[in-house]
Amino acid sequence: MTQAIRLITGALAVILTTGTLHAQAPRAVCGARDQVVETLTGRFGEVAQSWGMGPGNRIVEVFASEETGTWTITVTDANGTTCLVASGRYWENLAPVPVGEAL
């Protein structure tokens, strides 16, 4: 996992911990994990790039398509419900940064 992905995942964990994300999102888009993943893969060509365990045993995943440049961050609860929390364009995989060097 690249340093940038670690930073994104860490930042998202902080947002989820503070509840700020829920205050900003007027309506969450959620569904069964298998259906959400099928849509991301089939419709947008996105595949899982990384994941991590967040607060409350939530799984945070980053999906992206190198072909289209789209990306999506999801959070899955222990009950299997997956919610989209962020998405965008212009995804780019970065070369790993050696430990101790600035991004």
Side-chain angles (χ1 to χ4, degrees):
M1 178 171 13
T2 68
Q3 187 73 8
I5 300 278
R6 288 183 197 148
L7 290 174
I8 290 169
T9 304
L12 186 58
V14 170
I15 290 169
L16 291 173
T17 302
T18 63
T20 304
L21 183 62
H22 297 288
Q24 293 175 351
R27 185 179 75 114
V29 177
C30 302
R33 185 181 185 285
D34 59 344
Q35 293 174 337
V36 171
V37 171
E38 182 178 322
T39 299
L40 293 175
T41 302
R43 186 171 177 190
F44 299 101
E46 296 180 8
V47 295
Q49 301 289 319
S50 62
W51 72 275
M53 185 69 71
N57 293 325
R58 293 183 188 112
I59 297 175
V60 178
E61 294 177 275
V62 178
F63 292 82
S65 170
E66 291 184 31
E67 188 173 306
T68 65
T70 62
W71 57 268
T72 305
I73 298 175
T74 65
V75 175
T76 303
D77 284 338
N79 67 6
T81 300
T82 298
C83 295
L84 307 180
V85 295
S87 63
R89 298 181 297 167
Y90 308 113
W91 177 265
E92 184 177 333
N93 286 322
L94 302 175
V97 177
V99 176
E101 289 191 27
L103 293 175

